[in-house]
Amino acid sequence: MSDTLNRISEEGANGSSMMPVIQGVGRAAIEIAALLRGAVFRGALGLAGGENVQGEQQQKLDVLSDEIFLDQMRSTGHVCAVGSEEQEELLVIDEYASAPYLVLVDPLDGSSNLDVDGPVGTIFSVVKRKSASDQRPDVNDTLQAGRDVIAAGYVLYGPATMLVCSVGSGVNGYTYNTNNARFEISHPDIKIPQSGGYYSVNEANSAQWLHGMADTLISVRHTEKLGMRYVGAMVADIHRTLLKGGVFLYPADAKNTTGKLRLLYEAIPMGFLMEQAGGKAHTGEQPVLDVQPEALHQRVPVYLGSCAAVDGLTA
Ligand code: AFP
């Protein structure tokens, strides 16, 4: 396992240009992983006292992870702005306001798992700015459909720290080796299994799901012979789905009529990875990557996974 994150530079058209950004994500991941490991000793667990734009209570680790990620994106010199799930507005990096890329991030996904030492993650995607380099980037630069994303991925903080990403030519998984402080390739060319695996959903909501989804799921889980797993942290649930097959879903329900998960921070990056791994990503109405974003914090229903399972739920 000697191949490191540097191999991104050899991958497809976007490989070398994405190197600094993906390396920046790697540095952020190492810092966030260390922060998580030591959080209980530094009093960093628990609520920060504020709410994010979604009206969700922020944990201290949400805020700290967000700061770490932004600092690392700034340090690349290639990122002009960051849209974060934890920030209401787009954060423009003034020193590099003419840089070519914008990054969208959920810095600490699954934060309800923090109190129970469960897995959490970071999700990101990268787009090229639409505005001219002599203009100040703004939110319109971020409102790009998933088909225009040039790189996306996630970091899973589990027993090992893993970075799984794509620059548009397949999906590779890298595991952080604490002995040499490098991300080494451990899961080359990930392809989602097209049969078997698990369905992954918060089934407690099934009575509230819209459009008869509860019955549809019962039928699909029998046809596709799916087991059931749910962590409640999208990164961990998607990671298992990518490696073992099946489907992760968060349907629209009576409370969240347009879905719960965020289009730009969760659905598009994970949809990009799913398609790159040979799977599908759908909202129930259209492929996730075809949705034209209208707002930074927009939500959509999601069905992500093996082709037959996603087709069965969304046809
Ligand atoms: P948090 O980051 O606020 O914990 O949200 C996690 C999440 O967006 C996603 O990671 C999970 O898949 C989903 O929410 C879990 O939602 P439920 O708790 O409603 O099942």
Side-chain angles (χ1 to χ4, degrees):
M1 241 207 319
S2 58
D3 212 350
T4 67
L5 210 48
N6 291 336
R7 78 178 251 148
I8 298 265
S9 62
E10 291 154 25
E11 285 177 34
N14 299 322
S16 45
S17 64
M18 277 300 94
M19 247 340 262
V21 181
I22 306 288
Q23 284 178 328
V25 173
R27 288 192 301 275
I30 294 166
E31 271 192 66
I32 293 171
L35 172 73
L36 294 171
R37 275 196 305 278
V40 71
F41 306 115
R42 292 182 206 137
L45 289 176
L47 297 177
E51 283 187 352
N52 65 15
V53 63
Q54 336 279 338
E56 298 160 345
Q57 293 205 308
Q58 284 180 309
Q59 305 224 20
K60 292 177 198 163
L61 290 172
D62 285 320
V63 175
L64 294 169
S65 303
D66 194 40
E67 287 170 7
I68 289 171
F69 195 88
L70 179 65
D71 282 349
Q72 287 299 347
M73 289 303 102
R74 179 183 289 114
S75 79
T76 70
H78 291 255
V79 177
C80 63
V82 174
S84 167
E85 189 191 303
E86 298 302 331
Q87 303 283 342
E88 186 162 1
E89 310 279 349
L90 182 71
L91 293 166
V92 176
I93 301 176
D94 288 316
E95 310 92 287
Y96 300 108
S98 60
Y101 302 116
L102 292 95
V103 176
L104 285 308
V105 66
D106 180 352
L108 200 57
D109 179 70
S111 44
S112 66
N113 275 0
L114 290 169
D115 291 341
V116 296
D117 201 22
V120 290
T122 296
I123 311 174
F124 71 96
S125 62
V126 186
V127 291
K128 265 193 186 137
R129 66 188 298 158
K130 293 190 287 186
S131 55
S133 59
D134 59 354
Q135 287 177 352
R136 191 175 168 79
D138 67 22
V139 69
N140 290 314
D141 287 299
T142 69
L143 302 181
Q144 301 195 37
R147 301 274 170 227
D148 295 323
V149 161
I150 52 175
Y154 59 78
V155 180
L156 173 59
Y157 309 101
T161 298
M162 278 197 71
L163 171 54
V164 174
C165 64
S166 172
V167 293
S169 53
V171 180
N172 287 306
Y174 301 83
T175 300
Y176 185 62
N177 184 342
T178 49
N179 292 325
N180 60 16
R182 289 177 167 196
F183 279 97
E184 296 186 8
I185 191 142
S186 51
H187 297 65
D189 197 19
I190 295 172
K191 294 290 175 216
I192 184 168
Q194 292 300 341
S195 60
Y198 303 93
Y199 73 97
S200 184
V201 66
N202 188 340
E203 220 160 15
N205 297 333
S206 62
Q208 311 295 324
W209 291 339
L210 306 180
H211 317 304
M213 187 49 62
D215 290 338
T216 310
L217 180 62
I218 289 171
S219 156
V220 169
R221 77 186 197 215
H222 284 303
T223 320
E224 297 301 318
K225 301 184 174 47
L226 303 175
M228 193 274 178
R229 296 280 186 280
Y230 191 64
V231 175
M234 188 187 197
V235 171
D237 284 317
I238 288 290
H239 187 63
R240 185 194 52 256
T241 306
L242 268 180
L243 297 184
K244 302 289 184 190
V247 60
F248 169 87
L249 58 153
Y250 209 111
D253 59 39
K255 184 170 149 217
N256 307 291
T257 53
T258 56
K260 177 187 167 187
L261 299 190
R262 275 56 53 137
L263 174 62
L264 288 173
Y265 311 118
E266 296 173 312
I268 286 180
M270 294 308 200
F272 185 85
L273 290 174
M274 271 300 162
E275 288 203 5
Q276 287 291 323
K280 283 197 171 180
H282 214 272
T283 66
E285 285 185 3
Q286 61 182 325
V288 167
L289 301 191
D290 289 342
V291 177
Q292 176 54 51
E294 289 169 359
L296 205 47
H297 299 287
Q298 186 175 342
R299 297 169 191 258
V300 285
V302 292
Y303 303 84
L304 305 163
S306 309
C307 295
V310 172
D311 286 345
L313 292 169
T314 59

